[in-house]
Each structure stands twice: as C-alpha cells, then as structure tokens.
Amino acid sequence: DSGVTQTPKHLITATGQRVTLRCSPRSGDLSVYWYQQSLDQGLQFLIQYYNGEERAKGNILERFSAQQFPDLHSELNLSSLELGDSALYFCASSEGQGASYGYTFGSGTRLTVV
Amino acid sequence: GENVEQHPSTLSVQEGDSAVIKCTYSDSASNYFPWYKQELGKRPQLIIDIRSNVGEKKDQRIAVTLNKTAKHFSLHITETQPEDSAVYFCAALSSGTYKYIFGTGTRLKVLA
C-alpha cells in the first residue's frame, strides 16, 4: 500500500455521462497530481494542486476539472464522457510544492466508457 | 516545449543479461530525474532517481547515469531476472516547475 488512496478502482459508464474520481494523498503530503494513462500509452499530466490551490496544468480537457479540499483529498471530475476518455487515471502525491523527492502514485481508477 | 524521449520502446533480454534504457530531455533547467517501474495494471513505482549535481547513482542491480552536457540519462539493470519484466518510465523535473515530464516508456521482457 503506497498510502495514496484512489476510489473507485473500476468505473464503467456510458458516453455523455459525468463521473468523479477521488484521491486521498499520503499523510503529510500537500501536493496532489493527476495523470491519465491510455492503453499502452505513457503518463499524461493533467493537473496539480498544492494545499488547495491549483499549481500546474497540463493537457487537461475543458470537460475535465479538479479540486483539492481542505482535508487535502482531491477529486477529478470528467463530464460529457467520450469513448476516448477510457483510461487509467492515476493520482500521485508529494510532500512539498514541487516533486523533487519523487511522487507516490495511487493504484489508479480504471475508467471504461461504453 | 518540454520533452523527454525514451528508447527503446521494447527490449527483450535473456535472464542474467544487462538491460539499458536511455532518455533524452530537452529542458536544460531540469534538475531531477526519477525512474518508475510499472507492472501490468499496477501503479508506477519509483525505483531510483538522480539529481543534476550527481553523475551516477547505484542501488544493488540498478544504476542510473546522467550526462548533463548531452542531456542524457540512462537506466542500467544488471543480472536481470524475470521479475524485472515491466514497463519502465523515465521522467524529468524542471527547476521551478511542479510536474514531471514522462518518457513514453520501455517494455522490458526478461526471458527465462
């Protein structure tokens, strides 16, 4: 167990729907990062939050949004889902604002859009 | 923009042989380079990292080298074992930024 908790582990939904993925960082970590990994693809950075504030943004679609709550858990909201959104979504956390001591990844949420 | 190229995309070696994976980064301000191992369907796990003030780092059978001038860094696995089979990702972190740029991954197969 990495200490980073992601729920749910699996999610199957229909096109056009909206889902929320949840991440609880390791105890003491203030930064949360979201990554998308499509089948046999690399890790695409979506967005980072530090202590409740957005810090960095990657290739995140406008249909996607995220936030980090006062208790430091984060949610990634995906709306108007398309077949191409099917992927593994990973959350990672780190202690500081940056990531110069390594990320710790959660086990991921596998999203299947049908 | 920032980019990390990783080669090869697939690598098959015989058990006991060495494996080398190479990455090239574009941002000369990058100062931290982690390597992650991802087994099928599982989360990426940090296996080794190196900072820009160090040229080489070793941890048992795994070593990483960094050539800042050429903007290259490499992962070396010696005495490979079947359990080393996985996808390996390199990454670069630029000073002053908060995200890693990952390479595209190398699928390593160790043949028994």
Side-chain angles (χ1 to χ4, degrees), chain B residues 53-108:
Chain B
N53 60 348
V54 175
E56 184 174 358
K57 184 176 177 181
K58 194 172 180 182
D59 182 4
Q60 300 182 344
R61 296 186 298 107
I62 293 173
V64 57
T65 59
L66 172 64
N67 182 331
K68 283 192 298 184
T69 303
K71 291 191 278 188
H72 288 167
F73 58 114
S74 300
L75 178 71
H76 304 252
I77 306 174
T78 58
E79 300 171 21
T80 53
Q81 300 167 3
E83 51 265 38
D84 294 330
S85 296
V87 178
Y88 291 81
F89 291 97
C90 63
L93 175 71
S94 292
S95 174
T97 70
Y98 306 110
K99 64 183 191 291
Y100 294 154
I101 304 299
F102 280 91
T104 48
T106 296
R107 185 175 300 278
L108 174 64

Side-chain angles (χ1 to χ4, degrees), chain A:
Chain A
D1 182 12
S2 67
V4 179
T5 304
Q6 287 189 250
T7 56
K9 291 193 186 308
H10 302 278
L11 199 49
I12 301 175
T13 191
T15 54
Q17 295 298 303
R18 182 179 188 274
V19 296
T20 297
L21 313 183
R22 182 187 168 105
C23 169
S24 294
R26 264 187 338 175
S27 177
D29 285 356
L30 299 178
S31 282
V32 170
Y33 310 78
W34 286 98
Y35 280 82
Q36 179 192 55
Q37 187 176 38
S38 301
L39 188 64
D40 286 340
Q41 297 290 310
L43 293 151
Q44 297 298 318
F45 172 73
L46 296 177
I47 199 163
Q48 181 216 355
Y49 281 85
Y50 172 75
N51 205 20
E53 293 187 11
E54 182 184 305
R55 272 288 180 265
K57 214 165 186 176
N59 299 322
I60 186 166
L61 299 172
E62 285 190 13
R63 300 184 285 109
F64 296 0
S65 65
Q67 54 184 325
Q68 186 179 28
F69 294 86
D71 67 353
L72 301 178
H73 92 271
S74 177
E75 293 181 356
L76 179 67
N77 300 297
L78 315 176
S79 61
S80 302
L81 285 167
E82 302 175 359
L83 296 177
D85 297 327
S86 296
L88 258 174
Y89 290 84
F90 285 104
C91 162
S93 71
S94 69
E95 184 178 342
Q97 201 167 173
S100 58
Y101 292 91
Y103 287 166
T104 300
F105 281 90
S107 298
T109 293
R110 183 173 295 282
L111 173 66
T112 303
V113 182
V114 297

Side-chain angles (χ1 to χ4, degrees), chain B residues 41-52:
Chain B
K42 297 191 175 179
R43 65 183 180 92
Q45 291 191 277
L46 179 69
I47 55 171
I48 197 167
D49 56 12
I50 192 167
R51 300 185 189 283
S52 57

